[in-house]
Amino acid sequence: MTDKAGTLYLCATPIGNLEDMSFRVLCTLKEADLIAAEDTRNSIKLLNHFDIHTPMTSYHEYNKIEKGRLLVKRLLEGQNIALITDAGTPGISDPGEELVRMCHEAGVCVTSLPGACACVTALTLSGLSTRRFCFEGFLPTDKKERREVLEELAQETRTIILYEAPHRLVKTLTELREILGDRKLTLCKELTKKHETAFQTTLDGALLYYEGNEPRGEYVLVLEGRSRRQMQEERQEAMRERPLAEHMRFYEEQGMDRREAMRQVAKDRGVSKRDIYQALLENEGQ
Protein backbone atom coordinates (compact mmCIF):
# COMPACT_ATOMS: atom_id res chain seq x y z
CA MET A 1 0.00 0.00 0.00
CA THR A 2 1.35 3.45 -0.88
CA ASP A 3 1.68 6.01 1.92
CA LYS A 4 -0.70 8.46 0.29
CA ALA A 5 -3.36 5.95 -0.79
CA GLY A 6 -6.90 6.48 0.42
CA THR A 7 -9.34 3.91 1.79
CA LEU A 8 -12.36 2.21 0.28
CA TYR A 9 -15.21 2.14 2.81
CA LEU A 10 -17.93 -0.45 2.27
CA CYS A 11 -20.95 1.26 3.81
CA ALA A 12 -24.04 -0.76 4.69
CA THR A 13 -27.24 1.19 4.11
CA PRO A 14 -30.80 0.42 5.29
CA ILE A 15 -32.76 -2.34 3.55
CA GLY A 16 -36.02 -0.63 4.44
CA ASN A 17 -36.12 1.16 7.77
CA LEU A 18 -34.01 4.33 7.58
CA GLU A 19 -33.40 4.20 11.34
CA ASP A 20 -31.05 1.27 10.70
CA MET A 21 -28.45 3.68 9.28
CA SER A 22 -25.46 3.60 11.62
CA PHE A 23 -23.84 6.75 12.97
CA ARG A 24 -20.46 5.54 11.70
CA VAL A 25 -21.78 5.16 8.14
CA LEU A 26 -23.34 8.64 8.27
CA CYS A 27 -20.04 10.19 9.33
CA THR A 28 -18.12 8.28 6.66
CA LEU A 29 -20.50 9.28 3.87
CA LYS A 30 -20.23 12.92 4.89
CA GLU A 31 -16.44 12.90 5.20
CA ALA A 32 -15.54 10.81 2.13
CA ASP A 33 -14.20 12.51 -0.98
CA LEU A 34 -16.57 10.52 -3.19
CA ILE A 35 -19.51 8.14 -2.89
CA ALA A 36 -19.74 5.32 -5.45
CA ALA A 37 -23.37 4.18 -5.68
CA GLU A 38 -25.02 1.29 -7.51
CA ASP A 39 -27.92 3.50 -8.59
CA THR A 40 -27.40 7.24 -8.07
CA ARG A 41 -31.11 7.96 -8.64
CA ASN A 42 -31.99 5.70 -5.74
CA SER A 43 -29.12 6.73 -3.48
CA ILE A 44 -29.71 10.49 -3.85
CA LYS A 45 -32.97 10.04 -1.91
CA LEU A 46 -31.06 8.45 0.97
CA LEU A 47 -28.35 11.12 0.93
CA ASN A 48 -30.90 13.93 0.84
CA HIS A 49 -32.77 12.40 3.77
CA PHE A 50 -29.61 12.54 5.88
CA ASP A 51 -28.46 15.90 4.48
CA ILE A 52 -25.32 14.44 2.88
CA HIS A 53 -23.83 16.46 0.01
CA THR A 54 -20.73 14.44 -0.87
CA PRO A 55 -20.13 14.10 -4.65
CA MET A 56 -21.51 10.86 -6.05
CA THR A 57 -20.70 8.66 -9.06
CA SER A 58 -22.29 5.51 -10.43
CA TYR A 59 -20.70 2.10 -10.00
CA HIS A 60 -22.81 -0.85 -11.18
CA GLU A 61 -22.76 -4.21 -12.92
CA TYR A 62 -22.38 -2.72 -16.41
CA ASN A 63 -19.44 -0.39 -15.71
CA LYS A 64 -17.74 -2.24 -12.84
CA ILE A 65 -14.45 -2.89 -14.68
CA GLU A 66 -13.95 0.45 -16.42
CA LYS A 67 -15.27 2.53 -13.52
CA GLY A 68 -13.46 0.28 -11.04
CA ARG A 69 -10.11 1.20 -12.60
CA LEU A 70 -10.94 4.89 -12.32
CA LEU A 71 -11.97 4.51 -8.67
CA VAL A 72 -8.79 2.61 -7.83
CA LYS A 73 -6.77 5.36 -9.52
CA ARG A 74 -8.44 7.99 -7.33
CA LEU A 75 -7.88 5.87 -4.24
CA LEU A 76 -4.17 5.54 -5.10
CA GLU A 77 -4.04 9.33 -5.41
CA GLY A 78 -5.17 9.60 -1.81
CA GLN A 79 -8.93 10.03 -2.04
CA ASN A 80 -11.27 8.18 0.33
CA ILE A 81 -14.26 6.56 -1.37
CA ALA A 82 -17.44 5.22 0.21
CA LEU A 83 -19.18 2.42 -1.68
CA ILE A 84 -22.92 1.92 -1.24
CA THR A 85 -25.38 -0.46 -2.85
CA ASP A 86 -29.09 0.10 -3.44
CA ALA A 87 -29.80 -1.42 -0.03
CA GLY A 88 -27.82 -3.44 2.47
CA THR A 89 -24.15 -4.37 2.52
CA PRO A 90 -21.97 -3.77 -0.58
CA GLY A 91 -20.37 -6.86 -2.04
CA ILE A 92 -23.31 -9.16 -1.29
CA SER A 93 -24.95 -10.07 -4.62
CA ASP A 94 -23.73 -6.83 -6.23
CA PRO A 95 -20.66 -5.65 -8.18
CA GLY A 96 -18.93 -4.34 -5.05
CA GLU A 97 -17.00 -7.59 -4.78
CA GLU A 98 -15.17 -6.73 -8.02
CA LEU A 99 -14.03 -3.34 -6.72
CA VAL A 100 -12.84 -4.91 -3.47
CA ARG A 101 -10.78 -7.41 -5.46
CA MET A 102 -9.25 -4.65 -7.58
CA CYS A 103 -8.37 -2.65 -4.46
CA HIS A 104 -6.62 -5.59 -2.82
CA GLU A 105 -4.62 -6.21 -6.01
CA ALA A 106 -3.59 -2.54 -6.10
CA GLY A 107 -2.65 -2.45 -2.41
CA VAL A 108 -5.48 -0.12 -1.45
CA CYS A 109 -6.89 -0.39 2.07
CA VAL A 110 -10.47 -1.68 2.28
CA THR A 111 -12.67 -1.63 5.37
CA SER A 112 -16.28 -2.68 5.89
CA LEU A 113 -18.76 -0.75 8.03
CA PRO A 114 -21.30 -3.35 9.19
CA GLY A 115 -25.02 -2.84 9.09
CA ALA A 116 -28.17 -4.15 7.46
CA CYS A 117 -27.97 -7.29 5.32
CA ALA A 118 -31.10 -8.96 3.97
CA CYS A 119 -29.77 -12.52 3.98
CA VAL A 120 -28.75 -12.47 7.66
CA THR A 121 -31.92 -10.61 8.69
CA ALA A 122 -34.08 -13.23 6.95
CA LEU A 123 -32.09 -16.12 8.40
CA THR A 124 -32.57 -14.91 11.95
CA LEU A 125 -36.32 -14.48 11.34
CA SER A 126 -36.80 -17.83 9.63
CA GLY A 127 -37.15 -20.19 12.55
CA LEU A 128 -34.78 -22.59 10.76
CA SER A 129 -31.31 -23.63 11.88
CA THR A 130 -28.85 -20.72 11.96
CA ARG A 131 -25.78 -22.68 13.09
CA ARG A 132 -24.76 -23.66 9.56
CA PHE A 133 -26.01 -21.92 6.43
CA CYS A 134 -25.05 -21.20 2.83
CA PHE A 135 -25.92 -18.13 0.80
CA GLU A 136 -26.63 -18.66 -2.89
CA GLY A 137 -28.07 -15.23 -3.74
CA PHE A 138 -29.91 -15.13 -7.07
CA LEU A 139 -29.86 -18.41 -8.99
CA PRO A 140 -28.12 -18.30 -12.40
CA THR A 141 -30.26 -17.41 -15.40
CA ASP A 142 -28.47 -19.85 -17.71
CA LYS A 143 -30.60 -23.03 -17.77
CA LYS A 144 -27.72 -25.51 -17.62
CA GLU A 145 -25.85 -23.68 -14.87
CA ARG A 146 -29.08 -23.16 -12.94
CA ARG A 147 -29.85 -26.89 -13.06
CA GLU A 148 -26.33 -27.73 -11.88
CA VAL A 149 -26.60 -25.33 -8.94
CA LEU A 150 -30.01 -26.70 -7.94
CA GLU A 151 -28.70 -30.27 -8.05
CA GLU A 152 -25.83 -29.24 -5.79
CA LEU A 153 -28.29 -27.60 -3.39
CA ALA A 154 -30.30 -30.81 -3.30
CA GLN A 155 -27.41 -32.39 -1.36
CA GLU A 156 -26.80 -29.35 0.87
CA THR A 157 -27.27 -30.08 4.58
CA ARG A 158 -26.94 -26.45 5.69
CA THR A 159 -29.82 -23.96 5.71
CA ILE A 160 -30.02 -22.37 2.24
CA ILE A 161 -30.64 -18.66 1.58
CA LEU A 162 -31.76 -17.42 -1.84
CA TYR A 163 -32.91 -14.08 -3.28
CA GLU A 164 -35.71 -13.88 -5.83
CA ALA A 165 -37.75 -11.24 -7.66
CA PRO A 166 -41.56 -11.47 -7.55
CA HIS A 167 -42.04 -12.24 -11.25
CA ARG A 168 -39.73 -15.27 -11.01
CA LEU A 169 -40.79 -16.55 -7.59
CA VAL A 170 -43.27 -19.24 -8.66
CA LYS A 171 -40.89 -20.60 -11.31
CA THR A 172 -38.10 -20.85 -8.76
CA LEU A 173 -40.34 -22.49 -6.15
CA THR A 174 -41.44 -25.03 -8.79
CA GLU A 175 -37.85 -25.89 -9.70
CA LEU A 176 -36.83 -26.17 -6.06
CA ARG A 177 -39.74 -28.55 -5.38
CA GLU A 178 -38.89 -30.66 -8.43
CA ILE A 179 -35.20 -31.07 -7.62
CA LEU A 180 -34.97 -30.75 -3.83
CA GLY A 181 -38.28 -32.33 -2.88
CA ASP A 182 -40.60 -30.78 -0.33
CA ARG A 183 -38.76 -28.82 2.36
CA LYS A 184 -39.54 -26.43 5.17
CA LEU A 185 -39.35 -22.87 3.86
CA THR A 186 -39.61 -19.36 5.24
CA LEU A 187 -40.42 -16.65 2.69
CA CYS A 188 -39.34 -13.19 3.88
CA LYS A 189 -40.20 -9.85 2.32
CA GLU A 190 -40.52 -6.17 3.24
CA LEU A 191 -37.71 -6.75 5.74
CA THR A 192 -37.42 -4.04 8.45
CA LYS A 193 -40.47 -2.25 6.98
CA LYS A 194 -43.96 -1.79 8.42
CA HIS A 195 -45.40 -4.81 6.58
CA GLU A 196 -42.44 -7.15 7.15
CA THR A 197 -43.43 -10.79 6.81
CA ALA A 198 -41.74 -14.12 7.49
CA PHE A 199 -44.10 -16.72 6.03
CA GLN A 200 -43.26 -20.13 7.48
CA THR A 201 -44.45 -22.87 5.16
CA THR A 202 -43.11 -25.62 2.88
CA LEU A 203 -42.35 -25.65 -0.82
CA ASP A 204 -45.66 -27.40 -1.43
CA GLY A 205 -47.47 -24.92 0.80
CA ALA A 206 -45.89 -21.93 -0.92
CA LEU A 207 -46.82 -23.19 -4.38
CA LEU A 208 -50.39 -23.73 -3.23
CA TYR A 209 -50.53 -20.24 -1.68
CA TYR A 210 -49.28 -18.48 -4.81
CA GLU A 211 -51.86 -20.20 -6.99
CA GLY A 212 -54.28 -17.61 -5.61
CA ASN A 213 -51.96 -14.81 -4.45
CA GLU A 214 -49.74 -12.72 -6.69
CA PRO A 215 -46.13 -12.43 -5.44
CA ARG A 216 -45.24 -8.84 -4.55
CA GLY A 217 -41.95 -7.38 -3.40
CA GLU A 218 -38.42 -8.76 -3.30
CA TYR A 219 -38.13 -12.12 -1.56
CA VAL A 220 -35.55 -13.86 0.58
CA LEU A 221 -36.08 -17.62 0.65
CA VAL A 222 -34.72 -19.49 3.66
CA LEU A 223 -34.85 -23.20 2.96
CA GLU A 224 -34.25 -26.19 5.22
CA GLY A 225 -31.12 -28.17 4.41
CA ARG A 226 -31.22 -31.87 3.68
CA SER A 227 -31.36 -34.15 6.70
CA ARG A 228 -28.02 -35.81 7.49
CA ARG A 229 -29.89 -38.79 8.94
CA GLN A 230 -31.90 -39.17 5.74
CA MET A 231 -28.74 -39.05 3.65
CA GLN A 232 -27.11 -41.67 5.86
CA GLU A 233 -30.16 -43.93 5.65
CA GLU A 234 -30.29 -43.59 1.85
CA ARG A 235 -26.59 -44.37 1.56
CA GLN A 236 -26.93 -47.39 3.81
CA GLU A 237 -29.95 -48.62 1.84
CA ALA A 238 -28.03 -48.31 -1.42
CA MET A 239 -25.05 -50.12 0.07
CA ARG A 240 -27.19 -52.95 1.46
CA GLU A 241 -28.40 -53.67 -2.04
CA ARG A 242 -24.86 -54.30 -3.26
CA PRO A 243 -23.37 -57.80 -3.22
CA LEU A 244 -21.16 -58.21 -0.13
CA ALA A 245 -17.93 -58.58 -2.10
CA GLU A 246 -18.66 -55.42 -4.10
CA HIS A 247 -19.54 -53.58 -0.89
CA MET A 248 -16.18 -54.57 0.63
CA ARG A 249 -14.30 -53.62 -2.53
CA PHE A 250 -15.90 -50.16 -2.49
CA TYR A 251 -14.20 -49.30 0.80
CA GLU A 252 -10.95 -51.14 0.12
CA GLU A 253 -10.51 -49.11 -3.06
CA GLN A 254 -10.76 -45.97 -0.90
CA GLY A 255 -7.65 -47.09 1.00
CA MET A 256 -9.22 -48.91 3.94
CA ASP A 257 -7.59 -52.13 5.11
CA ARG A 258 -9.76 -55.24 5.28
CA ARG A 259 -10.64 -54.81 8.95
CA GLU A 260 -11.69 -51.17 8.53
CA ALA A 261 -13.73 -52.07 5.45
CA MET A 262 -15.52 -54.85 7.34
CA ARG A 263 -16.36 -52.43 10.15
CA GLN A 264 -17.85 -49.90 7.72
CA VAL A 265 -19.77 -52.56 5.78
CA ALA A 266 -21.23 -53.87 9.05
CA LYS A 267 -22.32 -50.33 9.95
CA ASP A 268 -23.93 -49.80 6.55
CA ARG A 269 -25.84 -53.08 6.78
CA GLY A 270 -26.85 -52.71 10.40
CA VAL A 271 -25.19 -55.97 11.46
CA SER A 272 -22.16 -56.95 13.53
CA LYS A 273 -18.65 -57.14 12.17
CA ARG A 274 -18.68 -60.84 13.13
CA ASP A 275 -21.67 -61.38 10.80
CA ILE A 276 -19.75 -59.79 7.92
CA TYR A 277 -16.67 -61.89 8.65
CA GLN A 278 -18.73 -65.07 8.69
CA ALA A 279 -20.55 -64.18 5.47
CA LEU A 280 -17.25 -63.49 3.73
CA LEU A 281 -15.87 -66.86 4.84
CA GLU A 282 -18.96 -68.60 3.50
CA ASN A 283 -18.68 -66.75 0.17
CA GLU A 284 -15.04 -67.66 -0.16
CA GLY A 285 -15.82 -71.30 0.60
CA GLN A 286 -18.38 -71.55 -2.20
Side-chain angles (χ1 to χ4, degrees):
M1 189 190 309
T2 62
D3 292 338
K4 67 174 185 176
T7 297
L8 176 68
Y9 295 89
L10 307 178
C11 296
T13 54
I15 58 176
N17 194 319
L18 293 179
E19 293 182 7
D20 289 335
M21 188 75 139
S22 77
F23 182 73
R24 185 182 175 202
V25 167
L26 285 174
C27 290
T28 300
L29 293 177
K30 289 179 179 180
E31 296 170 2
D33 296 298
L34 179 68
I35 295 172
E38 186 176 10
D39 186 337
T40 55
R41 296 166 300 178
N42 179 67
S43 295
I44 193 64
K45 300 172 187 175
L46 179 75
L47 300 185
N48 287 341
H49 178 83
F50 289 105
D51 196 28
I52 297 170
H53 304 287
T54 305
M56 184 167 50
T57 189
S58 64
Y59 176 79
H60 49 71
E61 182 65 28
Y62 303 104
N63 72 355
K64 62 183 180 182
I65 302 301
E66 181 182 357
K67 179 58 73 73
R69 294 193 186 104
L70 294 175
L71 293 176
V72 169
K73 181 175 182 294
R74 296 182 71 159
L75 285 158
L76 289 170
E77 292 171 351
Q79 294 189 28
N80 292 318
I81 297 177
L83 179 67
I84 58 177
T85 184
D86 283 348
T89 301
I92 304 297
S93 282
D94 78 18
E97 64 176 332
E98 182 67 29
L99 182 58
V100 172
R101 181 189 63 78
M102 295 171 74
C103 284
H104 283 305
E105 290 178 353
V108 171
C109 180
V110 179
T111 188
S112 183
L113 283 60
C117 183
C119 62
V120 175
T121 303
L123 175 66
T124 57
L125 281 175
S126 69
L128 297 174
S129 174
T130 61
R131 189 178 72 84
R132 299 172 64 249
F133 62 92
C134 69
F135 174 64
E136 188 62 39
F138 290 96
L139 290 169
T141 54
D142 178 79
K143 287 185 178 180
K144 182 180 178 182
E145 184 183 0
R146 186 181 181 92
R147 181 82 184 187
E148 289 172 351
V149 169
L150 287 169
E151 288 175 350
E152 289 174 5
L153 291 178
Q155 304 304 317
E156 179 59 68
T157 59
R158 296 171 294 179
T159 300
I160 301 163
I161 307 171
L162 302 169
Y163 288 164
E164 193 51 278
H167 63 281
R168 291 194 301 264
L169 179 66
V170 172
K171 176 187 175 184
T172 295
L173 290 172
T174 302
E175 291 175 324
L176 288 167
R177 177 62 179 90
E178 174 193 344
I179 298 174
L180 277 67
D182 197 20
R183 300 275 184 93
K184 289 182 181 178
L185 167 71
T186 301
L187 282 164
C188 299
K189 66 174 183 174
E190 299 296 307
L191 290 170
T192 76
K193 299 178 184 178
K194 181 178 180 180
H195 299 293
E196 172 182 275
T197 60
F199 176 30
Q200 292 181 313
T201 182
T202 62
L203 285 169
D204 281 345
L207 285 168
L208 182 62
Y209 177 82
Y210 286 111
E211 283 182 3
N213 296 273
E214 182 183 357
R216 296 178 182 276
E218 300 296 320
Y219 287 84
V220 184
L221 287 66
V222 187
L223 193 64
E224 179 183 42
R226 191 176 183 198
S227 164
R228 284 177 173 273
R229 175 177 292 183
Q230 181 185 1
M231 291 179 67
Q232 176 71 9
E233 289 174 352
E234 289 177 1
R235 186 174 71 87
Q236 289 178 344
E237 180 64 29
M239 287 297 189
R240 280 194 292 268
E241 294 176 358
R242 292 186 177 196
L244 182 57
E246 181 183 330
H247 198 165
M248 283 288 295
R249 187 162 57 250
F250 172 80
Y251 287 114
E252 288 173 336
E253 288 176 351
Q254 293 184 36
M256 291 186 184
D257 61 31
R258 190 165 179 79
R259 181 172 296 182
E260 288 176 313
M262 287 171 58
R263 185 181 299 113
Q264 187 59 54
V265 168
K267 182 179 178 182
D268 288 345
R269 293 179 177 245
V271 298
S272 70
K273 186 176 142 186
R274 181 184 294 275
D275 290 335
I276 298 300
Y277 178 71
Q278 188 62 41
L280 288 170
L281 285 179
E282 291 174 0
N283 287 349
E284 289 171 0
Q286 292 177 357

